[in-house]
């Protein structure tokens, strides 16, 4: 490879995380055969190098109640702010450039369902199903559903739930990497929240227990009595349906004073810590996501990531018919080719709209009706990746919805689901920061639910699902959620 004129350059762009964006690694490797030199685009470990996408936060000084603030953020950006870690606390503080030091709404509100979470919220710390590992003593948890509860470990290694305000010894995790990971027992009696604060200030966090082996390691440290671990239950939920378990409450908060403090604000003059307040109070607030363009989708984007662009313009030949002709619009779409861990994908780069006259035929309607015969609903709860693997192993693929006709069939199938949402073959690529269908097909059809439009839901680790009821809109959900799913199949399905 001494002849520089005959060799493609080697390009490497380092992945970097800041509070506004993430830059992917792109490596172009030259492979040589006897005929010619071919550049190959390889994507290596992109998401594993990034602990998560920090949302882009915007501070709005206009005072609104929580519901009005939520509506404003969904119309102008993506949603009210979701907080994932302490870095995001710093980000929202930096977003305030007006000198404001009071209280501002974030996207956390009280829900009806109590759920268990780990204090260490970073999902990349947990392998598949480790976030849901439990080792309850028989009969536990016997939680009072009207109060938040916290988990502790007996000297036997089994867990129990208790009032978070009780004082116990506690166990911290020193660090999350193998070279500094370890567990330390603090023989100081603190409430669960006090213990969490101590661990975060002096170590990493209250300990997470990810598997049985780790449970035994922690038990060896505990030896006797009982101690708090990092598991807690609460009813709080995020406006954008994120599964972030990060909490940053002020001391003795939330207290639900008066019985109707159901919304959360960051107290900026107190390090951004949180209080619960009445939702009807008017305050400034934080939005997340990019400001929405006034130009409707689809947009025209320039090619930036691929050395080769292919034209996949859709073609239409009007069918002969005795019915009256109708004039409609058709689009030609240009795509870029990408290679990802789920296979090759196409990204739309330009759209041209033109009008043509067509005549509908009986043959066309028959083909449209029969498309639903090749879709199958699996009433099994799987993560998005598990659903994709299952469809590819037992059928063809997760379903792609690129036309209104396919959406209609998917909606019919989804109505029989046992979960509120059903996985589609739609995923956000954190490498190139766009949504794509795992089965590469041209089409510009969109059916996003309000507040879940692509411009505002660009979150690494999210995939697309369809509502099983209502209007059957698409939503963006964490891939770790366990849902029913719809596959393409080669076997015709009965109705």
């Amino acid at each position: 490879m001494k002849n520089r004129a005959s060799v493609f350059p080697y390009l490497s762009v380092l992945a970097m995380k800041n509070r506004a964006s993430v830059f992917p690694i792109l490596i172009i490797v030259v492979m040589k055969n006897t005929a010619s030199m071919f550049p190959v685009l390889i994507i290596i470990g992109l998401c594993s190098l990034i602990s998560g996408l920090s949302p882009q936060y915007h501070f709005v000084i206009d005072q609104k109640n929580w519901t009005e603030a939520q509506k404003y953020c969904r119309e102008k950006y993506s949603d009210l702010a979701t907080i994932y870690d302490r870095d995001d606390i710093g980000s929202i503080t930096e977003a305030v450039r007006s000198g404001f030091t009071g209280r501002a709404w974030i996207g956390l509100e009280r829900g009806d369902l109590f759920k268990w979470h780990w204090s260490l919220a970073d999902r990349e710390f947990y392998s598949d199903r480790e976030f849901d590992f439990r080792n309850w003593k028989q009969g536990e948890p016997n939680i009072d559903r009207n109060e938040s509860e916290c988990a502790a470990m007996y000297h036997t290694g089994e867990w129990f739930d208790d009032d978070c305000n009780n004082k116990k010894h506690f166990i911290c995790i020193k660090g999350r990497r193998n070279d500094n990971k370890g567990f330390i027992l603090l023989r100081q009696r603190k409430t669960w929240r006090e213990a969490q604060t101590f661990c975060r200030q002096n170590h990493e966090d209250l300990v997470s227990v990810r598997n049985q082996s780790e449970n035994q390691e922690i038990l060896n440290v505990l030896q006797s009595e009982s101690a708090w671990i990092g598991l807690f239950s609460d009813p709080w939920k995020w406006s954008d349906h994120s599964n972030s378990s990060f909490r940053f409450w002020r001391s003795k908060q939330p207290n639900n004073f008066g019985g109707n403090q159901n919304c959360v604000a960051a107290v900026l003059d107190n390090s951004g810590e949180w209080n619960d307040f009445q939702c009807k109070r008017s305050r400034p607030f934080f939005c997340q996501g990019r400001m929405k363009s006034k130009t409707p989708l689809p947009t025209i984007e320039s090619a930036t990531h691929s050395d080769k662009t292919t034209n996949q313009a859709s073609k239409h030949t009007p069918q002969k018919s005795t019915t009256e002709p109708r004039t409609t619009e058709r689009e030609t779409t240009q795509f870029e080719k990408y290679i990802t861990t789920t296979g090759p994908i196409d990204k739309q780069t330009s759209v041209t709209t033109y009008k043509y006259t067509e005549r509908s035929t009986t043959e066309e309607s028959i083909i449209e009706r029969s498309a639903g015969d090749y879709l199958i609903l699996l009433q099994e709860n799987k993560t998005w990746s598990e659903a994709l693997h299952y469809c590819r192993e037992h059928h063809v693929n997760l379903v792609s919805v690129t036309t209104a006709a396919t959406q209609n069939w998917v909606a019919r199938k989804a109505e029989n689901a046992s979960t509120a949402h059903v996985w589609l073959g739609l995923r956000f690529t954190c490498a190139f920061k766009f949504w794509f269908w795992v089965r590469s097909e041209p089409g510009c059809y969109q059916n996003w639910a309000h507040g879940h439009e692509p411009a505002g839901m660009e979150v690494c680790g999210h995939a697309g699902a369809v509502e099983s009821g209502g209007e059957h809109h698409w939503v963006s959900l964490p891939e770790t959620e366990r849902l029913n799913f719809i596959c393409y199949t080669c076997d015709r399905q009965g109705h």
Side-chain angles (χ1 to χ4, degrees):
M1 298 179 64
K2 294 181 179 180
N3 184 355
R4 296 183 180 180
S6 63
V7 180
F8 288 95
Y10 179 92
L11 172 64
S12 176
V13 182
L14 179 64
M16 300 176 64
K17 177 183 175 183
N18 62 17
R19 294 185 175 91
S21 62
V22 174
F23 300 92
I25 299 176
L26 297 181
I27 302 177
I28 298 180
V29 182
V30 178
M31 300 181 65
K32 183 177 180 180
N33 63 16
T34 55
S36 60
M37 306 290 289
F38 296 98
V40 179
L41 179 64
I42 302 176
I43 301 173
I44 301 179
L46 292 163
C47 296
S48 65
L49 297 179
I50 301 170
S51 62
L53 290 177
S54 291
Q56 185 176 358
Y57 297 117
H58 310 271
F59 178 67
V60 181
I61 193 65
D62 295 344
Q63 298 209 8
K64 299 181 183 295
N65 65 40
W66 193 91
T67 303
E68 293 169 343
Q70 180 190 55
K71 180 180 178 182
Y72 179 95
C73 289
R74 288 177 172 179
E75 289 176 350
K76 301 294 184 182
Y77 298 97
S78 166
D79 214 317
L80 275 167
T82 295
I83 313 298
Y84 291 88
D85 53 34
R86 291 180 70 93
D87 287 344
D88 289 345
I89 296 295
S91 296
I92 65 170
T93 303
E94 290 180 6
V96 181
R97 304 183 185 277
S98 61
F100 178 80
T101 59
R103 303 160 177 178
W105 293 126
I106 59 174
L108 197 62
E109 64 173 330
R110 188 185 300 273
D112 298 322
L113 179 65
F114 279 73
K115 297 177 64 175
W116 287 98
H117 310 277
W118 289 109
S119 176
L120 181 53
D122 185 358
R123 287 287 176 144
E124 292 196 357
F125 180 65
Y126 307 87
S127 300
D128 186 38
R129 300 188 182 181
E130 285 187 340
F131 195 83
D132 299 317
F133 174 77
R134 304 290 185 264
N135 194 46
W136 297 111
K137 180 180 174 63
Q138 186 174 0
E140 300 283 353
N142 55 1
I143 187 171
D144 178 357
R145 287 298 178 182
N146 294 318
E147 299 290 343
S148 296
E149 296 281 301
C150 297
M153 181 183 288
Y154 283 118
H155 66 277
T156 61
E158 295 174 307
W159 307 353
F160 65 100
D161 65 302
D162 202 354
D163 185 336
C164 302
N165 294 316
N166 288 340
K167 294 191 174 185
K168 301 180 185 294
H169 297 162
F170 56 99
I171 303 171
C172 300
I173 181 172
K174 294 180 181 178
R176 67 182 77 181
R177 296 185 302 274
N178 288 332
D179 57 348
N180 68 348
K181 192 188 78 169
F183 312 110
I184 181 169
L185 172 66
L186 280 304
R187 297 187 181 278
Q188 308 170 30
R189 295 194 179 275
K190 295 183 180 293
T191 68
W192 189 93
R193 191 72 62 190
E194 291 169 346
Q196 180 191 51
T197 300
F198 182 94
C199 290
R200 286 178 172 178
Q201 289 177 347
N202 297 280
H203 301 286
E204 181 75 28
D205 210 320
L206 268 171
V207 67
S208 294
V209 190
R210 298 177 293 181
N211 49 57
Q212 193 62 50
S213 174
E214 209 161 65
N215 196 83
Q216 183 60 46
E217 290 182 55
I218 297 166
L219 177 59
N220 293 339
V221 173
L222 178 60
Q223 296 182 352
S224 63
E225 293 197 26
S226 63
W228 290 126
I229 59 176
L231 194 64
F232 69 98
S233 171
D234 73 10
W236 298 96
K237 63 179 184 178
W238 294 101
S239 176
D240 68 349
H241 306 289
S242 163
N243 62 356
S244 172
S245 61
F246 181 76
R247 304 291 186 265
F248 198 57
W249 298 109
R250 291 184 69 183
S251 176
K252 300 181 180 179
Q253 295 289 334
N255 60 7
N256 196 24
F257 182 76
N260 60 351
Q261 293 189 326
N262 297 320
C263 296
V264 177
V267 184
L268 298 173
D269 59 357
N270 199 69
S271 304
E273 291 181 332
W274 305 346
N275 271 37
D276 56 341
F277 294 105
Q278 295 181 12
C279 304
K280 65 182 181 181
R281 299 291 298 272
S282 293
R283 307 185 186 283
F285 51 96
F286 291 98
C287 299
Q288 69 181 17
R290 296 181 308 197
M291 180 175 286
K292 293 181 180 178
S293 170
K294 295 181 180 179
T295 305
L297 290 173
T299 58
I300 298 176
E301 300 180 49
S302 59
T304 56
H305 293 297
S306 179
D307 64 297
K308 183 177 181 181
T309 303
T310 59
N311 187 1
Q312 298 185 9
S314 57
K315 298 179 181 179
H316 182 84
T317 304
Q319 302 286 334
K320 292 182 180 180
S321 173
T322 57
T323 60
E324 289 296 320
R326 62 175 181 173
T327 300
T328 188
E329 290 186 348
R330 203 69 169 175
E331 293 173 339
T332 60
T333 309
Q334 195 167 359
F335 293 84
E336 286 179 344
K337 290 285 188 183
Y338 290 81
I339 304 298
T340 74
T341 54
T342 58
I345 61 173
D346 296 325
K347 181 189 179 185
Q348 171 188 312
T349 58
S350 65
V351 178
T352 304
T353 303
Y354 64 92
K355 292 183 178 181
Y356 73 100
T357 302
E358 67 172 346
R359 299 172 184 269
S360 62
T361 67
T362 303
E363 181 182 359
E364 285 178 329
S365 62
I366 291 173
I367 292 174
E368 181 174 301
R369 283 200 303 270
S370 64
D373 295 347
Y374 296 93
L375 300 181
I376 181 172
L377 170 70
L378 280 304
Q379 291 179 317
E380 301 179 32
N381 295 344
K382 295 184 181 294
T383 66
W384 186 88
S385 296
E386 290 170 347
L388 176 68
H389 177 76
Y390 184 95
C391 286
R392 287 179 171 176
E393 181 177 356
H394 298 282
H395 300 285
V396 177
N397 216 331
L398 270 173
V399 64
S400 294
V401 186
T402 54
T403 67
T406 305
Q407 169 66 22
N408 289 337
W409 284 114
V410 165
R412 287 193 191 183
K413 297 290 183 183
E415 287 176 350
N416 295 316
S418 60
T419 53
H421 299 92
V422 178
W423 286 129
L424 304 173
L426 182 61
R427 190 188 200 189
F428 180 73
T429 165
C430 51
F432 299 118
K433 296 168 69 174
F434 63 79
W435 288 87
F436 69 94
W437 293 105
V438 294
R439 176 167 169 166
S440 188
E441 296 177 349
C444 302
Y445 179 75
Q446 306 265 343
N447 193 42
W448 292 98
H450 179 70
H452 285 258
E453 295 83 354
M457 294 304 297
E458 298 181 349
V459 181
C460 192
H462 274 222
V466 63
E467 298 169 333
S468 58
E471 299 297 320
H472 302 292
H473 290 307
W474 307 343
V475 298
S476 168
L477 296 173
E479 293 180 13
T480 52
E481 292 207 15
R482 309 188 74 82
L483 308 175
N484 292 182
F485 53 99
I486 296 175
C487 301
Y488 282 119
T489 182
C490 292
D491 301 319
R492 286 169 62 91
Q493 301 296 307
H495 300 293

